[in-house]
Amino acid sequence: MSSFTAPALYTTTSLSFWGGIDPITSTVIDVTHPLHNVSTSHKILCLPSGRGSCTGSQVMLELILNGVAPKALILRETDVIFCVGVIIAEEFFDAKHVPVICVVGDEQFEQLLNEQSDALTVMVSDGEDIEIMSESSTFRARNLLSLRDTLATNPDTMLHDEREQSQAKTLALKTIRRVASISSATELIPISSAHIDAVTYIGPGGLRFVQKLVQLGGKVSVPTTLNSQSVDRRRWQQLGVDKTYATNANLVGDAYLEMGCDAMSFTCAPYLLPTKPKQGDDIMWGESNAVVYSNSVIGARTEKYADYFDILAAIVGAVPKVGVHISENRNPSILIDAEHLIQEHILPVIRNDHDIDSFFPVMGWLCGKMSDGRIPLITGFDALPEPCVNSDNLKAFCAAFGTTGTSPLFHMAHITPEAQGKDVIDGLLSSCNGRRVIVTKDELRLAYQALDGRGNCDDEIHLVALGNPHLSLSELKALSEMIHSDDRPKSNSVKVIATLGRHVYDEGLKMNYIQDLERYGMSFINDTCWCMLLDPPIIPLNKNAKILTNSAKYATYGPGLTNRQLRFSCISNCIEASKTGKMPHRGGMPHWLRTFSSMALHLPKF
């Protein structure tokens, strides 16, 4: 039995460690979070769960290796992403001083919040139970890091070939067993493909981890693509990236390539590749937007897998049979009703598909919050004209949903593949058990304001950042058409940069879109994405500079990652700002939002 006492922090708002906590200082950097600017180092952090990015496990590992991790995380509900960072620290780095991670459930979590003792005492035994003592109460919790192995004695029979059993595979399987125990999985299932999120260079710990896998003979056993890494592998010098940083970032990528990953991927939008999965495929994908898109829009099956677990599962070729890999677990448990909002306030003001493209990421961001960790059934979108509900707008919705939500899946009535037909939708409605929230115009306005960063109508724009997630070929075509909508050139005062994968870039070259946009003055970056482009000269040197984006994901993570103010608007306003160097009329507010009541609304504490 061991125990410790530490100061406690409390929040009702879930937190993504990536984009939410500085891995060097342990300070909360998410500007929308109630704990913004508060240090979590050596404290007991009480929060509902994690949210958003799969990269939170990478941040957790760096916090541990830097000696600034929280003493404990007391969660309302299980979060595997936090746990994986700690398990990797123990299994691969033999770390002794790691955070305790435990779950107390709804009732005890609410009681902890109500009491809010300045400090808590945590007593850890050798078993699964933990005692947490406040000034007036004692709580019992489940220790997620000391659970018994729940897999069958030899669940890996299909994986065993002693001639191919490297040390990396043995250690990977041991780690997967520990992760499986968190969700009480009893078997592993084979996967048809993998997408590795952990290609980002967060710090030296992540580099040491992947290089150790190579040294131990690690090789992927299924077709495996790579997420965006931290730099453009071919043009980092041209882009002015620091040599030491670029070298470390490329070493991470090199290690994954040595293990057999696809050299032509390096994209946060693997669903744009020819190798994308089919409906019903069991896959292992990291990267939150890709997870949500593959589950929801394609109908493939993947949990939101933590960084580091992703490469281990690719080596083993299997994942625990849990979560949305199981059909009954894919049913919604909350209805998000947007029918009245869309019928009464959106449809009457739609002018063309460019007027509506910012509606999708704002709604995705809001629906992620409103789902409260549950799988939602979202209604109302089928009333929109067919050109509006396209793959690009659904891509933007998924990325935003993955930023604020914890669920890897949503259903959109009459649109997504598992929500087709009256009988199916009636069944999905029944599984919601009457739990229903209605999206109002005021909530939608507040969500937009939270993303748009309290900017002024006449703000100068120094950088237009496009491609988060990576641009598609159809988006390249739309951009090419927009720049020719009039004869005005790009303003010399603003940079316009887009990120996209090599596959789409090469296709864009064939169609002459890339050349056309480069003549206009747009620059392109491959292999990486905006959540990894953190420093000058890619982002403005001036800390008062304004960055304009059409991405709700970047608008959420960008301020904390770059220490710059971000503005948010539709893609046509981004092009307009590139011509004038300023936010468009009325601060870039879209037409569908301007029609709402002009009554002043205060920003919420999301």
Side-chain angles (χ1 to χ4, degrees):
M1 176 81 70
S2 62
S3 66
F4 58 86
T5 301
L9 299 171
Y10 304 87
T11 179
T12 58
T13 303
S14 298
L15 178 64
S16 168
F17 271 32
W18 171 244
I21 290 189
D22 186 311
I24 297 175
T25 66
S26 198
T27 300
V28 177
I29 57 175
D30 181 345
V31 297
T32 70
H33 199 276
L35 294 178
H36 180 231
N37 281 334
V38 175
S39 173
T40 66
S41 178
H42 298 100
K43 295 176 183 175
I44 297 173
L45 179 58
C46 303
L47 74 166
S49 68
R51 71 180 189 196
S53 179
C54 304
T55 309
S57 50
Q58 286 208 58
V59 176
M60 176 65 82
L61 176 63
E62 297 298 332
L63 289 169
I64 293 169
L65 298 181
N66 290 331
V68 294
K71 290 285 288 184
L73 271 65
I74 300 176
L75 306 176
R76 183 184 67 189
E77 55 207 55
T78 299
D79 191 290
V80 176
I81 290 176
F82 289 147
C83 296
V84 167
V86 179
I87 292 171
I88 293 297
E90 291 180 323
E91 297 294 341
F92 285 82
F93 295 91
D94 198 28
K96 304 301 182 187
H97 302 291
V98 299
V100 170
I101 302 181
C102 60
V103 172
V104 294
D106 292 347
E107 185 177 331
Q108 290 191 110
F109 185 76
E110 185 174 352
Q111 187 179 345
L112 275 165
L113 291 179
N114 289 335
E115 292 189 13
Q116 294 218 5
S117 297
D118 291 338
L120 295 170
T121 297
V122 177
M123 300 188 68
V124 183
S125 65
D126 293 334
E128 298 179 12
D129 291 334
I130 288 178
E131 286 191 354
I132 302 164
M133 291 174 285
S134 67
E135 294 173 358
S136 57
S137 302
T138 299
F139 305 87
R140 297 191 72 83
R142 182 173 181 248
N143 186 352
L144 296 179
L145 300 174
S146 297
L147 301 178
R148 63 182 180 85
D149 190 343
T150 54
L151 292 176
T153 305
N154 291 302
D156 49 320
T157 303
M158 62 179 177
L159 312 173
H160 264 306
D161 184 338
E162 294 301 331
R163 294 168 299 176
E164 299 178 2
Q165 192 76 4
S166 66
Q167 286 181 273
K169 194 168 187 178
T170 300
L171 193 51
L173 187 55
K174 179 183 178 185
T175 304
I176 287 173
R177 280 180 173 275
R178 287 194 62 183
V179 175
S181 71
I182 295 171
S183 48
S184 301
T186 58
E187 62 179 298
L188 300 181
I189 55 173
I191 52 174
S192 60
S193 68
H195 180 69
I196 307 301
D197 187 58
V199 196
T200 315
Y201 177 72
I202 302 297
L207 176 57
R208 286 167 56 196
F209 166 73
V210 69
Q211 288 181 331
K212 184 169 185 177
L213 282 176
V214 172
Q215 293 166 2
L216 295 177
K219 296 289 182 183
V220 298
S221 58
V222 294
T224 302
T225 53
L226 293 169
N227 199 48
S228 302
Q229 66 160 52
S230 297
V231 297
D232 188 316
R233 291 177 61 80
R234 297 174 294 185
R235 291 175 288 187
W236 62 268
Q237 290 175 302
Q238 177 185 336
L239 294 169
V241 179
D242 175 77
K243 182 178 180 180
T244 300
Y245 181 79
T247 299
N248 287 331
N250 280 326
L251 285 172
V252 172
D254 292 344
Y256 282 106
L257 294 179
E258 284 190 60
M259 287 189 282
C261 299
D262 183 356
M264 286 299 292
S265 49
F266 289 108
T267 179
C268 57
Y271 41 81
L272 298 178
L273 296 171
T275 54
K276 70 180 181 181
K278 305 183 298 297
Q279 184 175 350
D281 285 354
D282 282 301
I283 60 176
M284 192 296 307
W285 275 19
E287 164 57 43
S288 58
N289 97 82
V291 168
V292 176
Y293 190 98
S294 62
N295 273 312
S296 308
V297 181
I298 297 175
R301 300 185 171 204
T302 177
E303 283 288 275
K304 186 187 286 185
Y305 287 109
D307 288 12
Y308 301 142
F309 181 88
D310 49 15
I311 184 59
L312 302 181
I315 289 171
V316 172
V319 294
K321 187 178 181 181
V322 295
V324 295
H325 287 285
I326 302 170
S327 294
E328 53 265 35
N329 292 345
R330 297 177 70 84
N331 291 329
S333 57
I334 187 169
L335 169 64
I336 298 180
D337 186 346
E339 291 190 32
H340 179 79
L341 173 82
I342 290 174
Q343 291 280 359
E344 298 298 321
H345 301 292
I346 303 300
L347 279 177
V349 299
I350 292 177
R351 292 179 175 176
N352 55 57
D353 56 343
H354 294 323
D355 287 330
I356 202 68
D357 73 284
S358 59
F359 174 70
F360 279 79
V362 177
M363 278 294 290
W365 192 90
L366 182 57
C367 288
K369 293 189 66 65
M370 297 179 84
S371 62
D372 192 29
R374 299 178 172 89
I375 296 173
L377 171 64
I378 304 164
T379 59
F381 278 77
D382 56 307
L384 293 169
E386 188 174 341
C388 296
V389 191
N390 57 46
S391 59
D392 291 326
N393 285 337
L394 288 174
K395 172 165 73 86
F397 185 100
C398 290
F401 181 91
T403 300
T404 55
T406 58
S407 168
L409 166 67
F410 66 83
H411 300 287
M412 196 174 278
H414 304 292
I415 292 172
T416 54
E418 296 173 67
Q420 299 286 338
K422 183 181 183 304
D423 290 344
V424 171
I425 291 173
D426 286 346
L428 296 178
L429 285 168
S430 176
S431 74
C432 294
N433 294 318
R435 187 180 287 112
R436 173 175 175 248
V437 292
I438 299 174
V439 186
T440 68
K441 63 182 183 180
D442 286 349
E443 287 169 318
L444 187 62
R445 178 191 285 272
L446 290 170
Y448 188 94
Q449 289 175 329
L451 290 169
D452 194 32
R454 299 174 185 255
N456 298 316
C457 291
D458 59 349
D459 272 345
E460 290 187 7
I461 298 300
H462 302 85
L463 169 64
V464 173
L466 304 172
N468 191 338
H470 277 170
L471 291 179
S472 68
L473 189 63
S474 53
E475 285 175 314
L476 284 176
K477 179 182 178 183
L479 287 168
S480 182
E481 292 170 351
M482 285 180 198
I483 64 171
H484 294 306
S485 61
D486 57 54
D487 294 330
R488 292 175 297 160
K490 186 186 78 67
S491 168
N492 291 328
S493 67
V494 58
K495 294 192 297 184
V496 186
I497 303 176
T499 62
L500 72 172
R502 295 189 195 187
H503 172 75
V504 172
Y505 181 83
D506 290 346
E507 292 298 306
L509 285 173
K510 294 176 186 176
M511 302 297 293
N512 207 42
Y513 300 145
I514 297 292
Q515 298 91 324
D516 196 29
L517 291 165
E518 285 180 334
R519 283 192 292 269
Y520 173 72
M522 187 179 296
S523 300
F524 294 97
I525 296 176
N526 299 142
D527 303 332
T528 187
C529 199
W530 285 107
C531 288
M532 292 82 172
L533 298 170
L534 311 183
D535 301 301
I538 296 171
I539 67 164
L541 179 63
N542 180 0
K543 291 194 174 182
N544 296 316
K546 305 292 193 303
I547 302 173
L548 175 61
T549 184
N550 68 326
S551 165
K553 179 176 181 177
Y554 190 43
T556 300
Y557 293 145
L561 291 170
T562 67
N563 197 27
R564 306 291 187 274
Q565 183 181 353
L566 268 80
R567 301 296 309 273
F568 170 83
S569 193
C570 61
I571 196 166
S572 58
N573 278 340
C574 288
I575 295 302
E576 177 66 17
S578 76
K579 294 174 181 285
T580 65
K582 292 187 176 182
M583 283 297 294
H585 182 57
R586 299 192 185 185
M589 185 178 291
H591 185 71
W592 54 264
L593 192 59
R594 293 203 299 270
T595 59
F596 292 178
S597 168
S598 60
M599 177 180 63
L601 293 171
H602 296 292
L603 279 168
K605 288 195 175 180
F606 283 128

